[in-house]
Amino acid sequence: AQRVTQPEKLLSVFKGAPVELKCNYSYSGSPELFWYVQYSRQRLQLLLRHISRESIKGFTADLNKGETSFHLKKPFAQEEDSAMYYCALTSGGGYNKLIFGAGTRLAVHP
Amino acid sequence: ETGVTQSPTHLIKTRGQQVTLRCSSQSGHNTVSWYQQALGQGPQFIFQYYREEENGRGNFPPRFSGLQFPNYSSELNVNALELNDSALYLCASSSEKGGRELGEQFFGPGTRLTVL
């Protein structure tokens, strides 16, 4: 079955500390992986996707097919990073059904 | 460029009633997907509409149905409401790329449905 698991409901760090939001997936085939973010009172928006291999707002994520993981990392957290983060996958192609994890709330304290 | 809009913002219904939620896609997008987000959970895929036809469905019963109009706006209809239908309903629009590969999905603000 296709599934995305985010084991932490809440991750609390201090400003300047490194951050790693964990995401594991199960999927038979070659999925496309995403991280979505929802800031307070804003709509869900795409943060990054694994195929673009870029860094957005200092965040990076590497797809590890052996461990079926797609963890989100940032070396130095900022207070404005506080938000809800969702890992998601899709089979891609013409049927763009996103499967989301339950989300992790990141709280960055001053 | 206008973003994805949804109406109404909030809605309260009683068990057994029917509800219609509306979504206007972003300019230039021809595909709309609907998601249900229960409290404390991630969004769950309900179905997707592409050029006015259903293009895939998640694990939701037939009392969840939808429509897409020629202007690519969309409706989600839920019949015989149950208490556990209470959730935030999100729509997302995207555009077809070459070879049916879809571009980024842009989400609306959602409609909060409460079933009493």
Side-chain angles (χ1 to χ4, degrees), chain A residues 9 36 43-44 46 49 86 93-98 100-102, chain B residues 4 35 37 42-43 45 55-57 100 102-105 107 109:
Chain A
K9 283 199 174 295
Y36 279 79
R43 58 188 68 190
L44 196 60
L46 179 67
R49 54 198 302 178
Y86 295 95
Y95 180 29
N96 205 3
K97 160 189 170 182
L98 285 166
F100 286 88
Chain B
V4 179
Y35 296 83
Q37 187 174 17
F45 177 78
N55 181 43
R57 188 178 183 94
R100 295 291 310 279
L102 292 177
E104 178 183 342
Q105 292 192 34
F107 283 82

Side-chain angles (χ1 to χ4, degrees), chain B:
Chain B
E1 187 177 88
T2 307
V4 179
T5 60
Q6 292 186 245
S7 62
T9 306
H10 297 89
L11 202 51
I12 299 175
K13 292 285 188 178
T14 55
R15 198 169 46 179
Q17 284 189 310
Q18 178 265 342
V19 69
T20 297
L21 309 182
R22 294 177 176 83
C23 172
S24 290
S25 58
Q26 184 163 311
S27 174
H29 288 180
N30 57 13
T31 302
V32 173
S33 303
W34 286 93
Y35 296 83
Q36 180 195 66
Q37 187 174 17
L39 201 60
Q41 300 297 317
Q44 264 198 294
F45 177 78
I46 304 175
F47 43 55
Q48 181 180 90
Y49 278 84
Y50 169 68
R51 293 186 176 177
E52 301 179 57
E53 292 194 1
E54 188 177 292
N55 181 43
R57 188 178 183 94
N59 190 25
F60 281 81
R63 59 190 185 84
F64 284 78
S65 63
L67 280 174
Q68 188 178 32
F69 301 99
N71 66 354
Y72 304 126
S73 65
S74 177
E75 285 183 355
L76 164 64
N77 299 290
V78 187
N79 293 322
L81 283 166
E82 299 177 0
L83 296 179
N84 63 7
D85 293 332
S86 295
L88 180 69
Y89 288 84
L90 298 169
C91 79
S93 73
S94 51
S95 61
E96 178 203 14
K97 288 185 175 178
R100 295 291 310 279
E101 181 184 335
L102 292 177
E104 178 183 342
Q105 292 192 34
F106 290 84
F107 283 82
T111 292
R112 171 77 57 191
L113 173 64
T114 302
V115 182
L116 302 175

